[in-house]
Amino acid sequence: MSRQNDIHQYGMDVQDLDASPFEMIEMLRSRSKIHSYFRELTDEEKLEVNRYDLILLFNAQEFYDKLKLVHDFQHSNKPDDEWWWHLHDVVRAFNKRSFSISFADTHGDLMVNMI
C-alpha cells in the first residue's frame, strides 16, 4: 500500500465512529505505520495526517469507549510519542484540561503532552 493510501485510509477510519473496535485497532496500527515514516512525508501529507489526528483527538472519548472493550490501554507497551495507543491518558488529560498539543519539531509529528 502506498503512503498516500495509508494516509487516506487513516483519514477514513478516524471519521468512522461506527466501526467495530477491531477495525479501530487497525486504525491505530495504521497510524503507527505512518508515524514510522512521517519525516519522509511531504509538507502537504504531514498537514493531512495532522488534520486526521485532530479528528481522532476531538473524538478520543468515543474511540476510547469502544476500543477499551478489546484493548488494554493500561498496559500498553507503545512509546509515549504514539499517543494514539494511550487514549485512556488522552481522555483523562482532556477531562482535567491538563494537556498540550504541539509538534515534535518543525518537521515532526503531532505530539499530545499530558500534564
Side-chain angles (χ1 to χ4, degrees), residues 6-17 19 23-24 26-28 30 63:
D6 290 345
I7 294 168
H8 176 75
Q9 186 60 51
Y10 174 59
M12 298 291 291
D13 291 344
V14 298
Q15 297 177 68
D16 186 4
L17 291 170
E23 291 169 316
M24 290 178 176
E26 286 305 310
M27 173 194 65
L28 300 181
S30 175
F63 278 108

Side-chain angles (χ1 to χ4, degrees), residues 20-44:
S20 77
F22 298 104
E23 291 169 316
M24 290 178 176
I25 289 290
E26 286 305 310
M27 173 194 65
L28 300 181
R29 288 185 181 127
S30 175
R31 182 58 182 91
S32 290
K33 181 179 176 183
I34 294 167
H35 181 69
S36 73
Y37 57 73
F38 189 86
R39 290 182 170 274
E40 299 167 20
L41 298 175
T42 67
D43 288 343
E44 184 177 303

Side-chain angles (χ1 to χ4, degrees), residues 44-84:
E44 184 177 303
E45 290 169 329
K46 288 176 184 178
L47 286 172
E48 188 175 2
V49 173
N50 291 155
R51 281 194 306 269
Y52 297 145
D53 284 346
L54 291 173
I55 293 169
L56 176 57
L57 286 169
F58 182 78
N59 294 306
Q61 181 72 58
E62 290 85 356
F63 278 108
Y64 171 68
D65 288 343
K66 283 186 109 172
L67 282 163
K68 70 182 179 183
L69 301 172
V70 298
H71 180 73
D72 183 4
F73 284 97
Q74 303 295 329
H75 296 98
S76 177
N77 61 357
K78 302 294 184 179
D80 289 343
D81 64 336
E82 293 186 32
W83 53 265
W84 46 92

